């Protein structure tokens, strides 16, 4: 589905992504792991059009999408989740979902003159969709709460919910589990699994929690120093010499992370 070919992203003389090549197969939940500073987030940002690559190519279903802006990729069904922006914290959770651009026609002048009825219908449909999304994620109870007031984990689920307001094909999640308690982490994992199985979403997931990776991801890709070191099942990755070395090279703490959940 996604092919990344010899991708480079340099910041001045620093090569954050240094010739990464990988493939994401449709229908998978692919895990992306690697020690801090490996270039995972930068790689995501280049694929999702947030950053321009220095060189290299990204294709989606055979089409060159290198350097396309996020909103264009969004309409192709490629989404990267973002934290709910601070300024939207005073809107309710439902409103935050309803705001996701999805082809509603409320904006144009033509519609305000000739399509009042249609706008009302669409708003009703949008509201129903938002409620359906919250039900799927088991967060109906926060629908009318302000987004700025819900817990960190509920916010993560809401971010995931935003991808369900459009017809997403592939979703990139960067450390959705960071700072979230175990129960919520598993709720998030469960939602990802169900979106994959029931709605056909493909996921690429960056996560440090190996138990979370183990529960969800096959295959797993390991990056270090801007390059892809290995791809395989989590067990294969953990047994890979280069991977172990990469984690060891960055200190014992990282190696413990690799072994956690083994
Ligand atoms: N905008 C930037 N300017 C300069 N260096 C950056 C920038 N973004 C990331 N880096 C550097 O690139 C490297 C890879 O970062 P990142 O992609 O965030 O790694 P990871 O997500 O794997 O921890 C890090 O050393 C980081 O400091
Ligand atoms: Mg990162």
């Amino acid at each position: 589905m996604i092919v990344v070919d010899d991708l480079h992203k340099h910041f001045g003389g620093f090569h954050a992504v240094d010739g990464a090549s990988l493939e994401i197969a449709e229908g998978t939940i692919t895990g992306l792991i690697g020690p801090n500073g490996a270039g995972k987030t930068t790689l995501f940002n280049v694929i999702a059009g947030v950053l321009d690559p220095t060189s290299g190519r990204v294709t989606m279903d055979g089409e060159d999408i290198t350097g396309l802006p996020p909103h264009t990729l969004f309409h192709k069904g490629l989404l990267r989740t973002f934290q709910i922006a601070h300024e939207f914290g005073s809107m309710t959770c439902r409103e935050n979902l309803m705001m996701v651009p999805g082809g509603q026609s409320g904006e144009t002048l033509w519609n305000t003159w000739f399509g009042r009825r249609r706008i009302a219908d669409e708003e009703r449909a949008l509201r129903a969709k938002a409620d359906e999304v919250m039900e799927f994620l088991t967060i109906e109870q926060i629908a009318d709460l302000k987004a700025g007031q819900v817990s960190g984990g509920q916010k993560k689920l809401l971010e995931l919910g935003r991808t369900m307001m459009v017809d997403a094909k592939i979703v990139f999640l960067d450390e959705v589990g960071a700072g979230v308690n175990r129960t919520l982490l598993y709720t998030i994992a469960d939602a990802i699994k169900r979106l994959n199985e029931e709605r056909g979403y493909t996921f690429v997931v960056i996560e440090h929690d190996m138990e979370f990776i183990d529960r969800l991801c096959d295959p797993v890709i390991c990056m270090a120093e801007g390059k892809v070191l290995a791809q395989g099942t989590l067990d294969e990755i953990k047994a890979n010499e280069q991977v172990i070395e990469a984690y060891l090279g960055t200190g014992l703490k990282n190696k413990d992370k690799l072994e956690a959940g083994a």
Side-chain angles (χ1 to χ4, degrees):
M1 186 176 208
I2 298 285
V3 179
V4 173
D5 185 24
D6 196 23
L7 204 68
H8 290 256
K9 178 64 189 177
H10 303 169
F11 296 110
F14 184 75
H15 297 192
V17 177
D18 193 20
S21 298
L22 56 93
E23 294 185 15
I24 309 295
E26 186 168 358
T28 59
I29 305 176
T30 298
L32 182 58
I33 67 167
N36 283 328
K40 305 179 296 294
T41 297
T42 306
L43 177 75
F44 262 31
N45 283 336
V46 172
I47 295 174
V50 180
L51 292 172
D52 281 328
T54 305
S55 65
R57 216 163 85 104
V58 183
T59 59
M60 179 175 178
D61 296 326
E63 182 196 351
D64 193 341
I65 58 163
T66 319
L68 292 182
H71 65 267
T72 306
L73 295 171
F74 184 91
H75 287 293
K76 291 181 187 296
L78 187 156
L79 278 70
R80 180 202 192 301
T81 59
F82 285 99
Q83 293 187 344
I84 305 279
H86 185 68
E87 57 268 34
F88 299 137
S90 60
M91 294 172 66
T92 68
C93 292
R94 182 189 289 112
E95 285 165 349
N96 265 279
L97 289 179
M98 289 174 67
M99 258 179 11
V100 175
Q104 64 268 45
S105 49
E107 313 284 89
T108 66
L109 184 63
W110 179 268
N111 273 300
T112 54
W113 281 10
F114 299 104
R116 282 186 195 285
R117 167 101 182 256
R118 196 165 116 212
I119 293 164
D121 285 349
E122 279 182 9
E123 188 157 333
R124 215 168 297 127
L126 213 58
R127 190 187 165 91
K129 174 90 185 163
D131 286 346
E132 186 216 334
V133 165
M134 285 185 286
E135 196 181 319
F136 184 94
L137 296 171
T138 65
I139 50 171
E140 313 92 299
Q141 71 281 9
I142 66 167
D144 295 310
L145 298 182
K146 292 195 188 334
Q149 290 171 343
V150 301
S151 76
Q154 288 169 331
K155 226 174 261 173
K156 297 282 175 195
L157 284 165
L158 197 59
E159 283 163 32
L160 194 57
R162 288 164 64 84
T163 70
M164 296 173 65
M165 294 298 292
V166 293
D167 292 323
K169 290 185 191 144
I170 178 160
V171 179
F172 291 80
L173 303 173
D174 193 350
E175 299 193 31
V176 276
V180 167
N181 70 45
R182 274 241 133 4
T183 311
L184 258 164
L185 186 62
Y186 293 147
T187 307
I188 292 169
D190 184 55
I192 292 170
K193 204 166 207 149
R194 285 176 58 212
L195 283 170
N196 174 254
E197 285 169 1
E198 296 170 24
R199 312 242 167 148
Y201 279 36
T202 300
F203 281 99
V204 190
V205 180
I206 296 176
E207 188 51 64
H208 282 300
D209 189 301
M210 288 299 155
E211 225 177 292
F212 183 88
I213 292 281
D214 194 26
R215 212 171 241 247
L216 277 184
C217 300
D218 187 20
V220 176
I221 295 171
C222 180
M223 273 183 86
E225 297 178 351
K227 295 181 174 71
V228 172
L229 290 186
Q231 172 166 345
T233 64
L234 184 59
D235 285 340
E236 286 164 359
I237 291 289
K238 278 180 177 170
N240 183 294
E241 286 294 330
Q242 275 183 292
V243 172
I244 295 167
E245 222 163 89
Y247 273 87
L248 271 175
T250 57
L252 210 58
K253 208 169 150 231
N254 268 316
K255 183 166 179 284
D256 288 346
K257 275 187 187 157
L258 178 68
E259 283 168 356

